[in-house]
Amino acid sequence: MLPGRATTKAWPTNGDAVIIGIDTGGTNVDAALIDADGVVSTAKVPNAETGERIEAVLTDLLSSHDVDAVDRVVVATTLVVNAAVQHRLPPCSNVLVPGTGLAPDRAFFGEENLVAAGGIDPRGRVTEAVDIDDRPSEPVTAITAKFSARNPDLERTLRETFDGGPTALGSESGAGLTFPERAATTVANAKAKPLFDEYEADVEAAVAATGIEAPIYYLKGDGAMLAAESMANTPAHTLRGGSAASALGLIALTGESDAVTVDVGGTTTDVTRVVASYPAVERAIPEGDVEPAYDGVVSRSLPYGGDTHVVVEDGAPRLSAERVGNAVAFGGAEPTLTDALHVLGLFTDGDRDGAATAIESIGTGAPEDVSQAILAAYVDRVADAIADLAVDETETLVVGGVLAPYLGDRLGKAVSVPDVVVPEYAEVAGAVGCGVARVSVETAVHVDSARGVMTVTSIGPEDVEAVEQGRRYTNDQAKSIAVERAREAATRAGGDPDAPAEVRSFDRFSVVERTEVAGQIFDAVARIEPGIEYSFAGGR
Amino acid sequence: MSLGLVYDEDYLLHEHTPTHPERKERLQYTMDQLEEEGLLADPDVSIVEPSMATDEQLSRVHTQEYLERLRSMSASGTGMLSVDTHVSAHTWNTAKLAAGGVATAMDVVATGTHDSSFVMARPGGHHAFANDAHGFCYLNNTAVGITHLQAEYDVDRVLLWDWDAHHGDGTQSIFYDDPSVLVMSTHQDGMTLFPGTGDARDVGEGDGEGYNVNVPLPPKTSDEGYRTVVEEVFEPIAEQYDPDFVFIEAGQDNHFTDPITDLGVTAQGYVSLMEHAVDAADRLADGRLVASLAGGYGIEGGLPYTNLAVIATLLGLDTDAIREPAVYEPPSYEPDVSDVIDRVKRVQSDYWSI
């Protein structure tokens, strides 16, 4: 098996197949078992992104289902983003081969930045040999050469020279990135690698322990999924994956094509926008210590949710932007937004008396008044985020999460959006979103038939192949090569080779050497169109 | 420093023949380099969409008879203005978009939208006369842009430095009697290169006498020779002319890898040329400067680096690492330019303290 290539079961899913989506957030691990017709079962276990909790939720989910029917397991994780914003990712040696051109400091994204000699020209030829005396001193290493998307050799040579710890290469970080973007992205991947590798091994063991033999996928920030091995190459792709899962799930559960979605979690509230039945996507998703240039869903992720701790400041109750544990109603020690909803009689599960006592202990007024103030503070913040993302035509708000039935109408009223939808299974929207994702990998093909070389850049090791020297291509021939390569890349990442593909950019011209046309160069970027595999509007 | 980079993919549509030196790859390797450097996504750089030159803009420069001849030749799908200047179906519109691109660049700088502008267009224009053209040119982009600038904005005097390796015979003829445009051309001596004109004694005529400066340089002239010319001719005359606006006809064919010329300028030499141009604009013209790509046929060894050099200089970026890859060997021979400079000074001393 080639590195970076996952083995996958046959595609597409057969009629009996089921998919497991797992959404791991700060508060719960949610899981949903779905098939082409809708949600089959759901499970929710509290806390902690560990293999043990994954195993627990799978066991719960599969208690009455046949593990052999499981076609794939798709996971959204916030592990990397949480570590990035809490500054827990390891420092990185960023090794650059900038060649000639602008000063390399435009690509300095590491705690240590080393500059190697060497150069690749726009045609992918090595014009200067790579050379460096320094050695990386940080625990992880990123190596990025200018024009490495046209020739990965210099990066590979350096990796062998260093022979060190976890290392990410620019040429393996994905297509369509400029040199500074590729450096930033490669640093993000290198930093995320140790954490993700450990988590991935845990998940794999947990899935195996439940007897499931299906392949495991992870959700990217743009709402497409990747086979585990591909994600291990580019773990910065997990950033925004949680927001993407929520958005996809709420789209699939409601069939809404244009809306703002709100997913109220225990620790955070994610607000996204849906345009033409898919989450709006933006380029570059900086989070905390890393700034990968990957696409991610447009999202406002607020540090407030059902378990947000209520504190007293200047004699008034205030949301603290941190979670200290469960609501008192669910055995926690400190008053939360959920406890306030209890006092107001909006939410009745759990220990109601405990919730009331906790809110009373805040001591700034009558429990009902305090609770109304807490709720208003939360609704205000979310309303700001909704208003930020909504457009004039936005008429629908889709709300997910355990508290959605109790908050949906208030949020709608606060932003004057008339149509508020809280679908069935709203409490596991993210898990459902994982289950309906599709594989999509941007793939760039650069052919230089004067040199007789083709490079294919997607996720994982760049392919460098020979092509017939001097060959000429029509536009259609060139584009179909790109589409074919995009399908191959998607298949390697576990996707459906027959899904619709698109060419996103294309350029072709002749190469003239000594007054003769010596061949052609073409550049094409293609991908399987991202999308939602199933829609469950109207239920089973 | 914000830069408006005027570019449109339609600049690739016009073609002579597949192996002609002035072919669309001239722009493509450069755009590849700019893209990979991250400059096209840089917050200080905006891609500015060119407008097509209007009839009014074109008729300020060209005769109706010539415009109609070019338009109908292009409409027929084939023709030639000279043996190496082919006309095809896309020529008319691409040429109008190139001329309009210079006018657009003038707009974005004159209105203060951007500090400076670079026009990444083809075909070029400085061999286009009022009523004819040759040398891979069709419409005089620069003249269309400058006359537009003077008609629409409060700009009296424009300093035009044409540093293309070839003498800008068309531009010289259009402004030959016009003191409001000081045309200064540094070029490889006409005895050794097309179009053969550009003699130091050609100083303009009528009201324009003294407002045309030609500096014909010997083959192989490289960075050092150009620096001397800039310091001893360009800068003193620019200072005395005191322009309201500086325009650079940025021919990148002085580069030592250029296959159809014989000069020796390096990418760092281009940094230096543009630094002097920016300095003159800053001191004399409130920083108002537009540059437009002219020639330059060293498609792989020259253009990506020379274009990056001038654009990075306009942006005020660190240019120290901009150079040709080591596989291209820069010239070691530097001819003596003192005779030429003395001759130019003798001629121009009738008009300038030089």
Side-chain angles (χ1 to χ4, degrees):
Chain A
M1 200 173 73
L2 292 170
R5 297 189 179 200
T7 47
T8 58
K9 285 177 63 173
W11 195 285
T13 56
N14 63 49
D16 301 326
V18 291
I19 299 166
I20 295 176
I22 300 176
D23 182 20
T24 56
T27 311
N28 293 305
V29 179
D30 296 343
L33 190 66
I34 67 167
D35 64 16
D37 299 320
V39 178
V40 179
S41 69
T42 68
K44 195 181 264 289
V45 302
N47 234 312
E49 296 201 46
T50 64
E52 191 191 321
R53 305 317 293 170
I54 301 272
E55 192 177 333
V57 82
L58 286 174
T59 305
D60 190 2
L61 188 71
L62 288 165
S63 53
S64 58
H65 295 278
D66 175 11
V67 295
D68 292 338
V70 176
D71 180 79
R72 60 184 187 262
V73 177
V74 187
V75 182
T77 172
T78 52
L79 205 61
V80 173
V81 68
N82 288 343
V85 299
Q86 293 163 11
H87 312 295
R88 288 189 283 107
L89 292 174
C92 178
S93 291
N94 175 32
V95 184
L96 299 168
V97 191
T100 69
L102 295 181
D105 56 3
R106 294 165 63 86
F108 280 2
F109 294 98
E111 280 72 14
E112 172 181 70
N113 297 286
L114 304 176
V115 176
I120 301 165
D121 76 0
R123 286 188 64 188
R125 293 171 299 207
V126 174
T127 52
E128 294 171 16
V130 71
D131 188 32
I132 190 168
D133 292 331
D134 297 320
R135 289 292 177 269
S137 64
E138 302 290 3
V140 299
T141 302
I143 304 172
T144 304
K146 198 173 286 173
F147 284 114
S148 65
R150 304 262 165 96
N151 186 337
D153 287 353
L154 302 188
E155 291 179 359
R156 291 176 182 174
T157 302
L158 281 179
R159 178 169 57 188
E160 283 162 26
T161 307
F162 298 150
D163 195 24
T167 302
L169 299 192
S171 55
E172 301 187 359
S173 284
L177 304 171
T178 68
F179 173 62
E181 287 173 340
R182 203 159 57 247
T185 306
T186 308
V187 166
N189 284 327
K191 283 170 166 270
K193 241 174 208 304
L195 188 64
F196 185 82
D197 284 350
E198 194 182 333
Y199 179 64
E200 192 217 341
D202 280 357
V203 172
E204 202 177 315
V207 170
T210 57
I212 297 170
E213 289 181 356
I216 301 166
Y217 293 78
Y218 288 86
L219 201 66
K220 282 197 289 176
D222 65 357
M225 63 179 183
L226 286 180
E229 280 192 55
S230 297
M231 189 58 97
N233 266 316
T234 55
H237 261 315
T238 60
L239 299 181
R240 302 265 173 103
S243 303
S246 299
L248 292 187
L250 290 170
I251 294 167
L253 290 169
T254 60
E256 292 296 340
S257 56
D258 291 277
V260 169
T261 68
V262 179
D263 193 7
V264 185
T267 314
T268 58
T269 297
D270 277 340
V271 184
T272 61
R273 179 170 62 224
V274 179
V275 180
S277 301
Y278 200 75
V281 167
E282 64 187 351
R283 188 176 172 83
I285 42 175
E287 300 279 7
D289 290 339
V290 294
E291 38 191 321
Y294 290 140
D295 285 354
V297 298
V298 177
S299 163
R300 299 289 176 270
S301 196
L302 308 173
Y304 309 105
D307 294 344
T308 290
H309 185 199
V310 178
V311 294
V312 179
E313 193 177 88
D314 299 332
R318 193 181 64 84
L319 300 171
S320 77
E322 73 176 319
R323 178 178 185 273
V324 292
N326 288 340
V328 176
F330 294 98
E334 305 284 350
T336 67
L337 174 64
T338 302
D339 293 319
L341 292 176
H342 255 293
V343 169
L344 296 173
L346 293 170
F347 183 64
T348 51
D349 289 355
D351 174 6
R352 182 155 197 200
D353 292 341
T357 311
I359 294 293
E360 200 160 7
S361 74
I362 293 172
T364 58
E368 283 76 12
D369 295 342
V370 172
S371 297
Q372 288 290 4
I374 293 166
L375 181 56
Y378 175 78
V379 168
D380 277 356
R381 294 204 161 122
V382 180
D384 285 348
I386 296 169
D388 193 20
L389 291 190
V391 291
D392 287 347
E393 302 80 58
T394 301
E395 290 190 345
T396 307
L397 193 63
V398 183
V399 188
V402 174
L403 298 179
Y406 320 107
L407 294 171
D409 285 339
R410 277 168 196 264
L411 290 171
K413 210 169 282 168
V415 292
S416 305
V417 171
D419 185 19
V420 176
V421 185
V422 178
E424 193 182 1
Y425 302 112
E427 73 281 5
V428 290
V432 172
C434 290
V436 300
R438 184 187 281 174
V439 167
S440 171
V441 180
E442 192 134 293
T443 304
V445 176
H446 178 80
V447 169
D448 184 335
S449 70
R451 290 182 61 216
V453 173
M454 165 157 75
T455 49
V456 182
T457 314
S458 57
I459 283 172
E462 194 168 282
D463 286 333
V464 181
E465 296 170 27
V467 296
E468 181 195 335
Q469 206 150 17
R471 183 172 165 191
R472 319 255 183 117
Y473 303 85
T474 64
N475 280 359
D476 284 348
Q477 284 169 335
K479 285 179 185 174
S480 71
I481 289 171
V483 166
E484 184 191 317
R485 291 307 177 128
R487 289 192 191 286
E488 284 175 16
T491 308
R492 278 206 302 279
D496 174 4
D498 299 322
E502 60 184 357
V503 176
R504 303 190 80 197
S505 69
F506 180 71
D507 188 19
R508 179 178 68 101
F509 58 90
S510 300
V511 176
V512 177
E513 287 172 358
R514 293 179 193 83
T515 74
E516 300 279 331
V517 175
Q520 277 181 341
I521 288 178
F522 76 78
D523 271 300
V525 177
R527 65 172 181 180
I528 299 289
E529 291 172 22
I532 291 182
E533 208 65 18
Y534 306 113
S535 181
F536 307 137
R540 285 187 77 79
Chain B
M1 296 293 282
S2 85
L3 175 86
L5 181 66
V6 178
Y7 178 74
D8 193 306
E9 285 191 357
D10 283 358
Y11 286 146
L12 309 177
L13 291 174
H14 157 74
E15 277 198 282
H16 297 262
T17 63
T19 58
H20 195 284
E22 204 289 281
R23 55 186 186 270
K24 61 182 182 174
E25 297 96 291
R26 295 181 58 230
L27 305 191
Q28 282 158 311
Y29 290 109
T30 294
M31 292 306 282
D32 271 4
Q33 184 79 31
L34 298 181
E35 166 78 18
E36 175 70 353
E37 296 283 7
L39 275 183
L40 301 184
D42 191 292
D44 287 339
V45 178
S46 303
I47 303 289
V48 175
E49 193 182 327
S51 305
M52 216 174 258
T54 62
D55 290 345
E56 185 187 15
Q57 288 169 340
L58 294 175
S59 62
R60 291 190 188 114
V61 172
H62 295 286
T63 64
Q64 287 308 310
E65 184 272 335
Y66 171 65
L67 292 171
E68 179 52 29
R69 177 157 67 100
L70 185 61
R71 189 199 61 73
S72 61
M73 201 185 283
S74 183
S76 79
T78 180
M80 279 186 187
L81 292 180
S82 68
V83 68
D84 58 11
T85 304
H86 303 251
V87 176
S88 62
H90 288 295
T91 302
W92 173 243
N93 279 339
T94 312
K96 282 204 296 180
L97 199 63
V102 178
T104 302
M106 297 300 202
D107 286 334
V108 298
V109 173
T111 57
T113 309
H114 294 291
D115 296 324
S116 63
S117 181
F118 187 85
V119 187
M120 185 74 73
R122 60 181 286 279
H126 74 156
H127 299 304
F129 298 78
N131 59 359
D132 202 359
H134 62 163
F136 320 159
C137 296
Y138 306 88
L139 299 170
N140 197 305
N141 308 336
T142 296
V144 169
I146 288 175
T147 52
H148 165 76
L149 177 75
Q150 291 178 321
E152 299 296 327
Y153 304 95
D154 184 21
V155 172
D156 294 331
R157 289 182 306 284
V158 177
L159 171 63
L160 192 175
W161 177 10
D162 181 336
W163 73 41
D164 191 279
H166 304 87
H167 174 240
D169 51 356
T171 308
Q172 171 176 300
S173 84
I174 289 165
F175 295 119
Y176 209 53
D177 59 358
D178 184 351
S180 76
V181 182
L182 175 69
V183 180
M184 169 157 165
S185 176
T186 49
H187 49 266
Q188 186 180 325
D189 193 316
M191 286 183 293
T192 62
L193 190 67
F194 178 90
T197 52
D199 193 285
R201 289 166 298 186
D202 297 339
V203 295
E205 64 185 18
D207 290 345
E209 186 178 333
Y211 296 95
N212 193 77
V213 181
N214 282 327
V215 185
L217 292 161
K220 312 289 184 197
T221 301
S222 48
D223 298 354
E224 191 55 32
Y226 270 87
R227 201 174 57 79
T228 313
V229 171
V230 167
E231 287 172 1
E232 299 200 18
V233 180
F234 171 76
E235 287 186 332
I237 292 179
E239 187 96 24
Q240 292 163 58
Y241 184 62
D242 191 19
D244 302 314
F245 206 101
V246 174
F247 186 90
I248 302 298
E249 182 94 23
Q252 314 294 62
D253 46 2
N254 309 325
H255 192 259
F256 67 87
T257 64
D258 201 278
I260 66 172
T261 66
D262 193 15
L263 293 164
V265 179
T266 67
Q268 276 297 312
Y270 272 98
V271 168
S272 171
L273 291 178
M274 190 53 95
E275 279 174 351
H276 283 99
V278 168
D279 179 59
D282 284 346
R283 281 188 295 113
L284 307 170
D286 292 331
R288 298 195 290 181
L289 185 153
V290 167
S292 177
L293 176 66
Y297 310 95
I299 287 176
E300 296 180 21
L303 283 165
Y305 312 104
T306 56
N307 283 328
L308 177 65
V310 299
I311 288 169
T313 304
L314 287 173
L315 282 163
L317 296 173
D318 183 345
T319 52
D320 287 353
I322 299 177
R323 58 175 175 80
E324 305 73 16
V327 291
Y328 304 98
E329 200 163 333
S332 51
Y333 170 73
E334 177 74 56
D336 185 0
V337 297
S338 58
D339 283 357
V340 175
I341 290 178
D342 286 348
R343 190 148 35 97
V344 170
K345 282 182 170 176
R346 258 199 319 276
V347 172
Q348 294 294 337
S349 62
D350 286 351
Y351 313 101
W352 310 99
S353 304
I354 184 171

